[in-house]
Amino acid sequence: MASADTTAPPKFNAVSFIKVFFDLPAQLEEELPELMDGLETLGCHVEPNLSDAWANVYFQADRSDEAERFLRRLEARRIVGTRIDGIEPRDWMGAFRSGVRPFAVGDRWWIDPHPDTPTDAPAGRHRLAIEPRMAFGSGTHESTQLILELMESIPFAERSVLDVGTGSGILSLAALHLGACRAVAFDIDADAIWVARQTARLNIARETVEFFAGPIEALSGCRFDVVLCNMVPMSFLPLLSQIRCRLNEQAIAVVSGVLCDQGPWVVKALSENEFDIIEERRKGEWTALVATRRFHEVEELQ
Ligand SMILES: C[S@@+](CC[C@H](N)C(=O)[O-])C[C@H]1O[C@@H](n2cnc3c(N)ncnc32)[C@H](O)[C@@H]1O
């Protein structure tokens, strides 16, 4: 008779992922990483349930052998309620899109996720048609909302804008609505730039944002009046000196993507790079900053 170890794992056909579901007693919660250790999992989801919790651990569809190994570890810990399922392929993005309704951000924005069935922006608001796609910047995240809100009180008319890590392109489009004369936007993710170009076409008759996929070094020798950057500090801070020397006198930097407890660290880095903080705003666990570039002399472009 075949032992449990040599039993062929079940085959899951036409599924995207395999999920192992189980009850997770509170005293075993901290052991979950150890239970998953060394297995090719895709991640886990733990949901509190009265005093205990339940959990799902996910595997690639063709790794039912790994899912079985995990099940055996659960059994060895006498964890009950285990179940192994295949997850049917699903259009997750489509499901997300159909669930999200147009919404207001700050005092001046109206984010419309449904370009096929557009809604008019309420009076006094600019409509940004942003169809959720595989690029960050649908407008639902606090870090994007913070920067959009801070932009409302910045004078954009006739000013040029550099949008660092543009994602969906949402910030450049907002800047153009506020009167910016030029927007250059880039991202190291080429897929994001594809999305941003599609998004720009939804919003403006002609492409007025100059998008490119690549690093900051690919920028030509022009300077800007406003820089917009919603990126985690680990990605943003290494670019700071290069951003600084691409800014004009009196330029404004709007920086988001900073967790509140990272705020002092980012303020210090900005100050050391000759920026003066003029405003800070928080939302949930996120903070965003507006700073002006101190100016002594025009620096050589790096
Ligand atoms: C949090 S998203 C922001 C998207 C959009 N600007 C917004 O505010 O919603 C950060 C973006 O920065 C891009 N990124 C990360 N590191 C970068 C770098 N060194 N240079 C350019 N883009 C970068 C990512 O690919 C991502 O699209």
Side-chain angles (χ1 to χ4, degrees), residues 135-139 141 143-145 147 163-171 186-189 192 214-216 228-232 235-236 239 256-257:
F136 194 105
S138 64
H141 196 269
S143 63
T144 310
Q145 295 182 358
I147 205 163
D163 178 3
V164 181
T166 190
S168 69
I170 185 170
L171 302 180
F186 71 98
D187 202 296
I188 47 169
D189 177 356
I216 193 163
L228 305 169
C229 184
N230 175 10
M231 265 163 53
V232 291
S235 303
F236 158 69
L239 308 184
S256 191

Side-chain angles (χ1 to χ4, degrees), residues 12-302:
F12 288 94
N13 295 321
V15 299
S16 301
F17 305 107
I18 297 169
K19 157 176 104 171
V20 175
F21 173 91
F22 53 98
D23 293 331
L24 184 61
Q27 71 273 18
L28 286 181
E29 231 174 296
E30 286 188 359
E31 290 183 34
L32 188 53
E34 192 189 321
L35 279 166
M36 293 163 61
D37 189 41
L39 295 177
E40 287 185 34
T41 70
L42 295 171
C44 69
H45 169 70
V46 177
E47 191 76 29
N49 181 22
L50 298 176
S51 57
D52 291 334
W54 56 260
N56 286 317
V57 172
Y58 297 91
F59 297 85
Q60 293 283 14
D62 59 355
R63 296 315 310 264
S64 58
D65 55 334
E66 291 284 277
E68 284 288 315
R69 280 180 65 198
F70 181 62
L71 268 179
R72 285 198 290 277
R73 289 185 186 180
L74 294 179
E75 282 162 15
R77 300 286 174 105
R78 302 190 192 291
I79 290 178
V80 295
T82 56
R83 202 170 64 224
I84 181 164
D85 284 325
I87 300 180
E88 303 287 325
R90 192 173 164 208
D91 176 7
W92 296 103
M93 190 51 79
F96 175 72
R97 260 186 222 142
S98 57
V100 56
R101 301 271 153 263
F103 56 98
V105 172
D107 294 330
R108 300 192 63 183
W109 307 108
W110 181 250
I111 314 284
D112 187 351
H114 301 290
D116 296 339
T117 51
T119 50
D120 290 332
R125 290 185 180 274
H126 297 286
R127 177 177 174 272
L128 295 171
I130 312 285
E131 193 177 25
R133 289 176 183 258
M134 297 306 282
F136 194 105
S138 64
T140 50
H141 196 269
E142 285 103 329
S143 63
T144 310
Q145 295 182 358
L146 273 172
I147 205 163
L148 285 171
E149 287 176 18
L150 287 168
M151 285 170 72
E152 292 177 356
S153 47
I154 290 174
F156 275 94
E158 297 310 312
R159 302 183 95 181
S160 58
V161 172
L162 176 63
D163 178 3
V164 181
T166 190
S168 69
I170 185 170
L171 302 180
S172 286
L173 298 169
L176 292 177
H177 270 288
L178 296 177
C181 59
R182 181 181 186 205
V184 174
F186 71 98
D187 202 296
I188 47 169
D189 177 356
D191 291 340
I193 292 299
W194 184 85
V195 170
R197 289 201 171 108
Q198 303 297 317
T199 308
R201 283 194 194 110
L202 290 176
N203 283 274
I204 37 189
R206 61 199 164 86
E207 276 201 52
T208 41
V209 184
E210 298 159 52
F211 291 111
F212 72 88
I216 193 163
E217 289 80 7
L219 266 176
S220 62
C222 45
R223 293 176 192 274
F224 299 88
D225 303 314
V226 183
V227 61
L228 305 169
C229 184
N230 175 10
M231 265 163 53
V232 291
M234 261 172 50
S235 303
F236 158 69
L237 292 181
L239 308 184
L240 194 49
S241 67
Q242 299 209 52
I243 290 173
R244 184 190 63 217
C245 70
R246 284 177 167 82
L247 296 180
N248 284 322
E249 198 167 350
Q250 306 294 321
I252 294 177
V254 195
V255 174
S256 191
V258 182
L259 287 166
C260 290
D261 59 3
Q262 298 170 327
W265 171 39
V266 174
V267 167
K268 183 167 177 282
L270 282 165
S271 175
E272 286 168 359
N273 278 277
E274 318 232 316
F275 287 93
D276 292 317
I277 309 296
I278 54 173
E279 191 174 349
E280 175 166 9
R281 190 173 300 194
R282 293 180 171 206
K283 198 181 261 262
E285 56 184 343
W286 299 92
T287 190
L289 302 151
V290 182
T292 49
R293 185 199 189 292
R294 252 175 263 147
F295 214 80
H296 306 302
E297 58 189 31
V298 176
E299 265 178 282
E300 287 298 312
L301 287 176
Q302 288 178 7

